[in-house]
Amino acid sequence: MTTPPPARPPRRPPTEAGGAERAGHAPADRPERGTAPVLDLAEIIDPATEAELTAALDEFEARNQRQFVIVTLPSLDGYDIADYGYQLGRYWALGDAERNDGIILIVAPNERRVRIEVGYGLEGTIPDGLAYDIVEDLILPRFREGDFPGGISAGAAAIIRQLELPPEEAARIAAEAAASRQHEGGIA
């Protein structure tokens, strides 16, 4: 059973120390990313698929100067996936600071949660409705068949395709997804 992703968390002001975390609300043991675009901490991606995803994400970053990371987690440690993803993106400082254009595909298989987290600079290109569609239509059907690598690969490919479209086409697709979500009663 899957629940739609919650609305994007509101912007959070820095703490007194200058960090992006809200005191007491950030996951204590956030994984270190290093330079790898794929961090399979839940160990659900086979080595061949991980190599393919790494190559695709490295090529994407070289072409677009945008950072896209896939992370699988054995546990969200009791945190909501939206908040965890937001905090992780801030902690890793993904994307360009000016454009705020980092992307994370987060999979927590033991908790049956998936989320596409984008920086505020990409919300017009991959709004919540489109992220929901990618998860529901491309990722979860494969997950339900036990194909975690296939679902992750399909989701990553869809995100890359959307981000590499001409701006007017990407905006049209994003608007269609948002209109579809509104027509269906929105995202709960």
Side-chain angles (χ1 to χ4, degrees), residues 12 15 28 37 40 57 59 64 92 117 126 129 144 174 177:
R12 295 179 176 97
T15 61
D40 183 23
L57 296 175
E59 290 168 12
N64 298 284
W92 285 344
E117 189 69 38
I126 301 184
R144 289 182 189 112

Side-chain angles (χ1 to χ4, degrees), residues 17-157:
E21 305 170 315
R22 291 179 299 153
H25 295 290
D29 279 338
R30 291 169 295 207
E32 293 297 328
R33 182 173 85 83
T35 59
V38 179
L39 209 60
D40 183 23
L41 302 175
E43 300 181 350
I44 59 172
I45 305 172
D46 61 90
T49 302
E50 186 171 344
E52 290 169 10
L53 287 167
T54 296
L57 296 175
D58 283 343
E59 290 168 12
F60 169 78
E61 185 173 351
R63 285 190 308 269
N64 298 284
Q65 288 71 55
R66 288 182 174 145
Q67 291 178 312
F68 178 3
V69 174
I70 296 169
V71 61
T72 71
L73 301 165
S75 174
L76 295 169
D77 297 322
Y79 289 91
D80 174 78
I81 194 167
D83 194 43
Y84 194 102
Y86 173 84
Q87 296 294 342
L88 197 57
R90 301 289 293 190
Y91 179 67
W92 285 344
L94 286 183
D96 180 80
E98 292 280 319
R99 295 187 312 251
N100 200 351
D101 61 354
I103 310 110
I104 308 174
L105 172 56
I106 309 164
V107 179
N110 297 327
E111 296 167 18
R112 302 173 61 101
R113 296 285 178 257
V114 178
R115 181 160 178 92
I116 298 168
E117 189 69 38
V118 300
Y120 292 109
L122 292 177
E123 286 183 343
T125 306
I126 301 184
D128 288 339
L130 181 57
Y132 176 84
D133 288 348
I134 291 169
V135 169
E136 286 293 318
D137 299 343
L138 299 173
I139 298 174
L140 291 182
R142 288 171 176 88
F143 282 12
R144 289 182 189 112
E145 295 172 358
D147 183 10
F148 287 102
I152 291 167
S153 294

